[in-house]
């Protein structure tokens, strides 16, 4: 009984999410995010300049990006954030991006979501809500598997089950051997 209680306490303190990349030109925001997200993420990477986003993402395995919308002093249109959002989505389409801005603008939020943002958070933020949104985005991404991925996995398992016998695998899948060959080319 004591072991189970200790195990629960230990498991409750474990960080359950991988790496977040926080990009904001305000060093105070980055510091606040490091403190806030330390109990949630294994690693918190921060950048003050968006110019290094793609290089960092090429070198590191990033699970989610929290991206400010404005980086140039005096500019608050959000266009810089939308530009970087599109660049991230083009290079790393599977990595969710959550937008962060001090200028709550419904039209900007809609543009961000249409350009592939997973969510939108305004400054000043509510700590609990920000953490919840980040967790929700990651949890949802882990739950949703594309139909193509499901098909690929099903084909792989069937072929393994048939010990590589493609004729037998095609029969089990209810498709012709040629169709199986064509699907395997896309794997």
């Amino acid at each position: 009984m004591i072991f189970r209680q200790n195990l629960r306490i230990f498991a409750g303190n474990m960080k359950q999410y991988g790496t977040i990349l926080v990009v904001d030109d305000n060093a105070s925001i980055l510091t606040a995010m490091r403190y806030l997200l330390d109990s949630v993420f294994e690693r918190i990477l921060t950048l003050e300049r968006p110019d290094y986003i793609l290089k960092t993402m090429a070198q590191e395995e990033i699970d989610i990006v929290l991206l400010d919308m404005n980086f140039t002093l005096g500019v608050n249109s959000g266009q810089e954030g939308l530009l970087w959002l599109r660049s991230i989505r083009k290079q790393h389409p599977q990595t969710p991006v959550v937008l962060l801005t001090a200028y709550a603008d419904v039209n900007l939020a809609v543009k961000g979501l249409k350009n592939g943002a997973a969510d939108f958070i305004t400054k000043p933020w509510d700590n609990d809500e920000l953490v919840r949104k980040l967790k929700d985005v990651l949890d949802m991404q882990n739950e949703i598997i594309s139909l193509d991925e499901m098909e690929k996995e099903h084909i792989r398992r069937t072929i393994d089950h048939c010990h590589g016998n493609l004729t037998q695998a095609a029969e089990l899948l209810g498709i012709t051997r040629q169709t199986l060959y064509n699907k395997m080319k896309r794997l």
Side-chain angles (χ1 to χ4, degrees):
M1 188 64 126
I2 293 173
F3 175 75
R4 283 188 182 160
Q5 288 173 337
N6 289 341
L7 183 61
R8 245 183 271 128
I9 291 168
F10 178 75
N13 293 331
M14 288 177 57
K15 298 173 187 179
Q16 47 184 307
Y17 299 95
T19 302
I20 185 170
L21 174 62
V22 182
V23 188
D24 196 299
D25 58 325
N26 185 327
S28 298
I29 298 282
L30 297 177
T31 300
M33 289 295 179
R34 274 190 225 101
Y35 283 115
L36 174 62
L37 302 173
D38 183 56
S39 64
V40 179
F41 289 91
E42 290 289 328
R43 295 179 63 216
I44 302 162
L45 303 178
T46 59
L47 293 174
E48 284 187 41
R49 296 186 48 197
D51 306 353
Y52 301 109
I53 293 173
L54 297 178
K55 182 178 181 182
T56 301
M57 292 183 77
Q59 295 172 345
E60 302 281 345
E61 188 173 324
I62 306 294
D63 297 296
I64 190 168
V65 177
L66 183 57
L67 177 67
D68 190 23
M69 295 291 293
N70 300 297
F71 294 95
T72 303
L73 190 62
V75 176
N76 54 16
S77 67
Q79 294 307 308
E80 290 171 298
L82 292 175
L83 171 79
W84 285 107
L85 169 64
R86 286 189 295 271
S87 296
I88 293 167
R89 299 294 299 153
K90 185 176 180 180
Q91 296 287 325
H92 304 276
Q94 301 302 320
T95 304
V97 178
V98 175
L99 301 175
L100 181 67
T101 187
Y103 303 95
D105 178 351
V106 174
N107 291 330
L108 184 59
V110 169
K111 281 183 187 177
L113 295 172
K114 283 184 177 180
N115 280 282
D119 211 330
F120 193 88
I121 296 170
T122 58
K123 299 175 189 174
W125 62 85
D126 173 271
N127 287 345
D128 292 334
E129 183 179 345
L130 184 140
V131 169
R132 181 190 54 76
K133 282 187 177 189
L134 294 173
K135 286 180 173 182
D136 286 351
V137 166
L138 286 168
D139 290 345
M140 197 163 77
Q141 179 161 350
N142 291 334
E143 289 175 9
I144 298 173
I145 300 169
S146 72
L147 288 174
D148 286 341
E149 286 299 315
M150 288 176 65
E151 182 182 41
K152 287 176 188 177
E153 183 61 27
H154 186 63
I155 289 170
R156 282 188 198 113
R157 285 185 182 174
T158 304
I159 292 170
D160 286 347
H161 176 78
C162 296
H163 306 288
N165 183 328
L166 297 182
T167 302
Q168 185 181 10
E171 287 176 19
L172 279 175
L173 291 167
I175 57 178
T176 66
R177 188 176 165 109
Q178 184 60 48
T179 301
L180 179 57
Y181 280 134
N182 291 339
K183 289 182 179 291
M184 288 174 57
K185 287 179 189 177
R186 291 184 282 153
L187 294 179

